[in-house]
């Protein structure tokens, strides 16, 4: 199949590389010319495990191409996948400017039949609106199919997720494109879920809202455990054995971040309010998440009451391990609050050199703790979970370790003469 993917970001690039690897002829386009120029030379602008190799393999085989000629590419290809960003507006609703730009180009280039697939996360009603817009522009409905095909990949394991999806969701208006759609991901064995356009849009939002709810639930229970001096990990053991609950997404810590959960939750809330639907649960999920940073800073102030002029090292800047994505990262929110409190912040992340005012960024994990009063683990990168505590201890001035991801072995930390601080863990 001949496919044009619009948007060479986290979703567009991984989808393009995988679909080319499945044997399709894929053209991935982006309006950022420098990005495309680099991609043509095999230089991948984001970090995603395995992606550079897969892109390079499929560039060589000729199955994958990159172009900044968005209009021409859209004209030439019968299947268009839209994977542009849909960030949050101030009021929490989705900013659909990029999507609307792409739809306008598609509308001007429908000469033969096209299947237009929205992979970007969009509020319920968006794909129906795209359909109505094209009809109102006088485009014959026989000339196009609109499909909503939300993406469920996770940054850090994006390729694995594309090769092993637990479902593939297609929202359509009619059954016409279904046979073609089934060929798109024919390599996978995941169940297909066919539904309406808005049904597919809402599956995506409901999934992310549920995952975010689990995290805020975990954080609230961890707060209660903390108050009663109970190990939250023990409670999780009890929860996880119940198949109705499961183990995933029950980690307590700084809360959820990244480019999806916070923005999708806000957008879903906004969509609900537009229809006068109350969102008490979603409101609480967001509120718990937004207060997690403060909770950990309060924990720190139990042993360092005056944070001003203290030197604090933060390990981790990305919103989770195995990515370079800083969007809505709780670690960054924490760093900014430390700076506001007058701390001298030293930071280390395996993937990112931070350029933030009043933050000193290090290239060496152990250099970053030199003379610090406290060390905070803000992202659970593998190399932070089991570091050389002897080196940490000898480099630090103080001895406080704040485990803001509940990922450390408490006994190991204590054995090295360090003071362990966590929420629901002691
Ligand atoms: P991104 O910001 O990394 O990439 C978007 C790309 O689209 C950018 O390279 C941008 O230059 C390009 N673009 C924007 N407007 C364009 C236009 N008019 N023509 C050509 N290119 C254009 O975004 P992302 O993280 O890949 O997310 C894309 C969508 O997928 C969003 O709706 C997001 O919510 C959704 N999603 C993301 C993830 C994730 O983990 N990142 C997972 C599932 C779904």
């Amino acid at each position: 199949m001949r496919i044009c993917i619009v948007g060479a970001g986290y979703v567009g690039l991984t989808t393009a590389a995988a679909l080319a690897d499945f044997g399709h002829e894929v053209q991935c386009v982006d309006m950022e010319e420098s990005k495309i120029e680099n991609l043509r030379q095999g230089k991948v602008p984001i970090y995603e495990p395995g992606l550079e190799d897969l892109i390079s393999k499929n560039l060589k085989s000729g199955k994958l191409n990159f172009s900044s000629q968005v209009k021409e590419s859209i004209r030439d290809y019968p299947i268009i996948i839209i994977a542009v960003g849909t960030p949050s507006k101030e009021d929490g609703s989705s900013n659909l400017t990029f999507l609307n730009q792409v739809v306008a180009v598609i509308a001007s280039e429908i000469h033969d039949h096209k299947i237009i697939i929205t992979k970007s996360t969009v509020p319920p009603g968006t794909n129906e609106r795209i359909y109505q817009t094209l009809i109102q522009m006088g485009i014959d409905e026989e000339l196009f199919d609109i499909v909503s095909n939300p993406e469920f990949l996770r940054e850090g394991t994006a390729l694995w997720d594309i090769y092993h999806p637990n479902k593939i969701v297609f929202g359509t208006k009619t059954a016409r494109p279904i046979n073609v759609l089934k060929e798109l991901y024919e390599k996978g064995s995941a169940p297909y879920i066919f539904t309406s356009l808005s049904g597919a849009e809402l599956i995506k939002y409901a999934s992310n809202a549920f995952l975010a709810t689990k995290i805020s639930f975990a954080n609230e229970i961890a707060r209660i455990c903390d108050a009663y001096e109970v190990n939250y990990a023990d409670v999780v053991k009890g929860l996880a054995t119940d198949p109705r609950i499961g183990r995933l997404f029950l980690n307590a810590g700084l809360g959820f971040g990244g480019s999806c959960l916070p923005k999708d939750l806000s957008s879903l809330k906004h969509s609900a309010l537009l229809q006068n639907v109350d969102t008490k649960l979603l409101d609480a999920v967001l509120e718990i998440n937004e207060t997690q940073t403060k909770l950990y800073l309060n924990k720190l102030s139990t042993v360092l009451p005056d944070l001003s002029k203290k030197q604090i090292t933060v390990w981790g800047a990305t919103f989770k391990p195995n990515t370079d994505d800083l969007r809505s990262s709780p670690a960054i929110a924490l760093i900014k609050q430390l700076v506001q409190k007058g701390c001298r912040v030293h930071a280390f992340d395996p993937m990112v050199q931070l350029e933030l005012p009043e933050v000193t960024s290090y290239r060496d994990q152990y250099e970053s703790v030199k003379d610090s009063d406290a060390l905070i683990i803000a992202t659970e990168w593998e190399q932070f979970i089991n570091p050389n505590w002897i080196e940490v201890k000898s480099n630090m001035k103080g001895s406080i370790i704040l485990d803001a991801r509940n990922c450390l072995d408490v006994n190991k930390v204590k054995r090295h003469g360090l003071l362990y601080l966590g929420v629901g863990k002691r």
Side-chain angles (χ1 to χ4, degrees):
M1 293 164 83
R2 298 182 65 245
I3 304 160
C4 170
I5 297 186
V6 187
Y10 286 86
V11 168
L13 274 181
T14 42
T15 307
L19 289 184
D21 206 47
F22 291 174
H24 300 302
E25 184 193 315
V26 180
Q27 172 105 320
C28 185
V29 299
D30 201 285
M31 60 183 182
E32 262 189 57
E33 283 180 23
S34 58
K35 193 183 252 191
I36 292 298
E37 208 35 64
N38 282 330
L39 281 163
R40 281 189 168 142
Q41 294 166 30
K43 291 184 201 149
V44 181
I46 54 167
Y47 173 69
E48 186 58 46
L51 184 60
E52 200 162 286
D53 287 346
L54 196 68
I55 286 180
S56 152
K57 175 185 163 198
N58 286 285
L59 272 173
K60 277 192 198 117
S61 74
K63 287 283 177 199
L64 178 61
N65 284 295
F66 291 103
S67 172
S68 53
Q69 305 288 304
V70 178
K71 196 175 167 72
E72 291 76 0
S73 303
I74 285 176
R75 182 186 309 146
D76 287 350
Y77 282 76
I79 299 176
I80 314 293
I81 297 181
I82 306 173
V84 297
T86 49
S88 282
K89 284 194 206 166
E90 281 277 298
D91 64 358
S93 64
S94 294
N95 181 344
L96 299 178
T97 308
F98 298 129
L99 180 98
N100 292 337
Q101 284 167 357
V102 177
V103 171
V105 175
I106 295 174
S108 68
E109 296 300 338
I110 302 183
H111 309 298
D112 305 312
H113 185 267
K114 285 201 191 302
I115 298 183
I116 302 155
I117 301 174
T118 307
K119 194 166 264 304
S120 299
T121 305
V122 293
T126 305
N127 280 288
E128 178 62 32
R129 181 181 54 75
I130 296 174
Y131 174 83
Q132 295 300 342
T133 305
L134 297 184
I135 293 295
Q136 277 159 24
M137 289 173 79
I139 301 169
D140 187 344
E141 67 173 346
E142 293 299 314
L143 275 181
F144 69 94
D145 284 295
I146 299 285
V147 177
S148 170
N149 173 219
E151 180 53 62
F152 297 91
L153 64 76
R154 299 159 298 171
E155 285 175 25
T157 52
L159 286 177
W160 198 92
D161 292 339
I162 290 187
Y163 281 83
H164 308 90
N166 51 38
K167 63 192 163 294
I168 294 169
V169 176
F170 287 121
T172 60
K173 264 188 100 65
T174 68
R176 188 169 59 187
I178 284 178
N179 285 338
V180 177
L181 294 174
K182 279 183 174 169
E183 275 181 48
L184 205 58
Y185 304 107
E186 62 185 345
K187 292 271 151 74
S189 58
Y192 287 110
I193 297 170
F194 288 101
T195 175
S196 62
L197 293 176
S198 293
E201 290 161 344
L202 273 171
I203 288 173
K204 174 65 190 174
Y205 278 106
S207 300
N208 275 357
F210 188 74
L211 295 173
T213 303
K214 269 188 113 174
I215 295 172
S216 281
F217 170 83
N219 281 328
E220 188 155 291
I221 299 294
R223 291 180 191 201
I224 299 170
C225 286
D226 202 55
Y228 281 90
E229 300 190 3
V230 167
N231 237 335
Y232 172 67
D234 293 346
V235 175
V236 169
K237 270 186 212 150
L239 293 174
T241 51
D242 188 329
R244 294 170 302 175
I245 300 174
R247 171 63 185 89
L248 298 176
F249 276 72
L250 285 180
N251 287 349
L254 271 184
F256 56 82
S259 67
C260 292
L261 294 191
K263 114 175 144 61
D264 293 351
L265 223 65
S266 299
S267 180
L268 178 60
K269 218 167 75 98
H270 195 268
S271 293
L273 289 180
L274 282 180
Q275 299 293 334
N276 298 318
V277 179
D278 233 1
T279 56
K280 286 194 179 63
L281 179 62
L282 300 184
D283 294 345
V285 170
L286 279 168
E287 192 187 326
I288 292 167
N289 199 53
E290 279 155 15
T291 49
Q292 282 305 107
T293 321
K294 196 160 170 237
L295 178 81
Y296 278 95
L297 287 179
N298 286 345
K299 197 50 132 178
L300 186 61
S301 61
T302 58
V303 287
L304 272 185
D306 181 11
L307 281 172
S308 67
K309 306 260 170 8
K310 294 289 182 300
Q311 185 176 305
I312 312 286
T313 296
V314 178
W315 278 358
T318 54
F319 82 98
K320 67 172 184 176
N322 297 319
T323 181
D324 58 354
D325 200 344
L326 294 174
R327 290 178 286 185
S328 297
S329 171
I332 300 293
L334 178 90
I335 287 171
K336 286 184 175 164
Q337 286 189 32
L338 286 168
V339 169
Q340 258 174 21
K341 286 184 183 298
C343 297
R344 280 175 288 124
V345 178
H346 289 202
F348 171 78
D349 186 277
M351 264 299 141
V352 182
Q353 279 288 108
L354 280 184
E355 284 173 22
L356 285 175
E358 309 191 47
V359 175
T360 314
S361 202
Y362 284 81
R363 290 188 188 278
D364 183 276
Q365 182 173 346
Y366 296 98
E367 274 288 304
S368 73
V369 293
K370 213 154 206 146
D371 299 328
S372 281
D373 295 288
L375 165 64
I376 305 179
I377 314 299
T379 312
E380 65 276 37
W381 284 91
E382 189 65 37
Q383 68 199 74
F384 301 160
I385 295 175
N386 205 3
N388 182 340
W389 288 118
I390 296 173
E391 202 171 342
V392 171
K393 168 89 171 126
S394 71
N395 280 0
M396 280 178 70
K397 185 170 97 188
S399 60
I400 301 162
I401 309 294
L402 176 65
D403 180 5
R405 286 293 177 185
N406 271 24
C407 62
L408 302 180
D409 180 332
V410 183
N411 292 330
K412 242 187 206 169
V413 174
K414 287 182 178 169
R415 259 204 317 275
H416 287 88
L418 293 158
L419 175 73
Y420 179 92
L421 283 181
V423 173
K425 197 168 171 180
R426 58 190 64 235

